Amino acid sequence: MSIRVDGVSKSFGAFKALDNVSLDVPQGTLLALLGPSGSGKTTLLRIIAGLEWPDSGRIEEDGTDITDRHARQREVGFVFQHYALFRHMSVFENVAFGMRVRKAPHAEVKARVDELLHLVRLDNLGARKPAQLSGGQRQRVALARALAIRPRILLLDEPFGALDAKVRVELRQWLRRLHDEIGMTTVFVTHDQEEAFELADDVVVMNEGHVEQRGKPEEVFDKPATPFVMDFLGNVNVYHGRVENGRAFWHGVPIDYPDYPHAQARAARVYLRPHELDIARAPSGGPSEANQGTSLAATVLRQTRTGPITRITCQPQEGGSELHVDLPSAAARQLGLQPGEAVSITPRHVRVFLPDPEYVI
Ligand code: ADP
Ligand code: MG
């Protein structure tokens, strides 16, 4: 089943939680809604679920307007961050709950629950109470319960948010496999970019009630459409620079920027990702590359190794804020830079945003 969100707005009092949001989710897609806390992700999910109503706009399923239908008539399954299992019921009865409410025959309930407990790898645990399970197991019960009514759409609101990092990574890989097995249209809310990028076919980045960007994970990562997306995806060096004559200037280092061919200089924001910077030991004596103005002269402050990546923090020689360069740890070891050494830094890739009065960073 496909979902279309068409021009949906929603206010709580004077506060606009969603501002004219439109979104297509094709059948079988696993779509991640990614954004900071308060950006409207849960509100949008609840409107898709039929638990909340938009002030304006429509929700369609397979082209049919279902805006006025309640959750029960929408064939949606949902799972929230805090697994709201019934504590006094066994795992089996928790999963069976929706089918019992719908008065499904006993034999059918038994067959379906067994099938689901197998699917979520909890065979033989049907008799336990939720308190006798780990957090990850409970969340899988919540998922089995959501699937029991054979929903045509699965909505997940930070389902793994309350779990520790290791379990979260396992569960999301498992969820991806499960999604591929059953091929349901799934909308998954997260504020964790790694989770979104690992899981999703499509990523929608939300900010203050609107969609900043939608795309394949690699598109959003490689071509952030706005300064917000760039910042939110984190790990960037941000500078105030300028553009003129088809070039942007970063600490005086020119970088091609054909989008601004005009002679009149304009202030710009320059964004550099730590892994898209080249770093080399500045040659002693003789004119260095840095001196020729194609790279930045800087001094190494420190190196921090986090597993496979080593981050080298540098201070531009002309002053200004510190700069991070990320290298594979093996390459950093080979280069063997020491604090205080002079280096030259060259961007392989740069993004320039001309300030838009709407963005305040
Ligand atoms: P997210 O899930 O992205 O963190 P939410 O959709 O939960 O964001 O909330 C978006 C904004 O709307 C927040 O500022 C939140 O405080 C507000 N909000 C959400 N639900 C309500 C409500 N029922 N009443 C008032 N404000 C709400
Ligand atoms: Mg939320």
Side-chain angles (χ1 to χ4, degrees):
M1 175 164 295
S2 66
I3 307 166
R4 166 167 291 172
V5 175
D6 186 14
V8 162
S9 294
K10 174 76 181 177
S11 295
F12 297 105
F15 180 78
K16 202 151 205 182
L18 292 176
D19 187 8
N20 194 21
V21 171
S22 295
L23 199 62
D24 272 312
V25 192
Q27 154 63 31
T29 307
L30 204 171
L31 179 125
L33 291 180
L34 175 67
S37 178
S39 55
K41 307 181 298 295
T42 294
T43 304
L44 181 57
L45 204 70
R46 286 173 57 81
I47 287 174
I48 295 172
L51 297 168
E52 191 83 73
W53 278 265
D55 300 331
S56 56
R58 295 149 43 98
I59 305 291
E60 290 177 9
E61 281 177 2
D62 282 346
T64 305
D65 185 345
I66 53 134
T67 315
D68 295 328
R69 283 191 207 162
H70 190 270
R72 279 189 299 278
Q73 304 160 304
R74 290 192 188 185
E75 299 179 77
V76 289
F78 31 88
V79 177
F80 299 104
Q81 175 166 7
H82 298 284
Y83 26 81
L85 298 179
F86 302 114
R87 272 182 298 161
H88 60 284
M89 283 186 194
S90 67
V91 165
F92 185 99
E93 285 306 322
N94 263 283
V95 178
F97 182 77
M99 300 181 74
R100 300 247 196 256
V101 169
R102 285 168 176 76
K103 307 215 181 320
H106 285 295
E108 191 185 317
V109 172
K110 170 93 174 80
R112 178 75 178 146
V113 174
D114 285 346
E115 179 192 342
L116 284 165
L117 289 180
H118 177 67
L119 190 69
V120 301
R121 307 286 177 263
L122 293 174
D123 319 70
N124 308 322
L125 295 184
R128 291 216 188 155
K129 292 280 168 56
Q132 297 170 302
L133 301 177
S134 69
Q137 288 174 329
R138 273 181 244 168
Q139 206 52 314
R140 282 184 278 156
V141 175
L143 207 51
R145 188 175 61 179
L147 295 171
I149 57 163
R150 299 184 190 280
R152 300 176 66 191
I153 293 171
L154 186 61
L155 303 175
L156 307 163
D157 193 355
E158 312 221 12
F160 311 139
L163 304 172
D164 70 52
K166 184 165 171 288
V167 178
R168 226 163 48 219
V169 170
E170 277 169 23
L171 274 188
R172 68 181 183 233
Q173 290 166 352
W174 170 84
L175 177 67
R176 180 69 233 190
R177 286 195 299 272
L178 183 74
H179 174 88
D180 292 342
E181 252 173 67
I182 55 186
M184 222 181 329
T185 308
T186 304
V187 181
F188 181 95
V189 165
T190 182
H191 64 265
D192 177 342
Q193 51 163 299
E194 197 184 309
E195 196 157 273
F197 286 122
E198 184 171 325
L199 257 176
D201 299 312
D202 269 344
V203 174
V204 170
V205 182
M206 290 188 65
N207 174 34
E208 295 185 344
H210 66 268
V211 172
E212 289 273 336
Q213 187 172 7
R214 181 219 178 111
K216 303 275 165 231
E218 61 277 10
E219 281 167 12
V220 174
F221 195 73
D222 290 339
K223 295 195 180 68
T226 65
F228 173 83
V229 176
M230 189 80 191
D231 282 354
F232 184 69
L233 298 187
N235 273 337
V236 283
N237 300 293
V238 183
Y239 294 88
H240 295 279
R242 67 177 207 283
V243 287
E244 63 179 88
N245 290 322
R247 296 194 298 180
F249 291 85
W250 165 61
H251 281 291
V253 175
I255 303 152
D256 282 342
Y257 187 64
D259 287 358
Y260 190 86
H262 315 289
Q264 191 186 356
R266 238 182 101 177
R269 234 172 265 131
V270 177
Y271 292 74
L272 301 148
R273 286 216 169 98
H275 66 275
E276 292 174 341
L277 294 170
D278 282 333
I279 185 166
R281 182 173 279 112
S284 51
S288 74
E289 240 193 311
N291 292 339
Q292 293 164 17
T294 55
S295 60
L296 178 74
T299 306
V300 175
L301 294 178
R302 59 186 173 276
Q303 300 198 50
T304 327
R305 182 169 169 190
T306 51
I309 299 296
T310 293
R311 170 159 291 186
I312 305 169
T313 304
C314 303
Q315 172 68 59
Q317 279 170 9
E318 64 169 42
S321 48
E322 292 176 3
L323 178 70
H324 300 301
V325 180
D326 285 350
L327 286 185
S329 292
R333 235 187 343 265
Q334 202 172 17
L335 195 57
L337 292 170
Q338 299 299 319
E341 272 198 85
V343 288
S344 58
I345 297 171
T346 317
R348 274 197 309 277
H349 232 85
V350 69
R351 289 165 186 85
V352 176
F353 289 106
L354 297 181
D356 174 330
E358 281 184 37
Y359 288 108
V360 180
I361 290 181

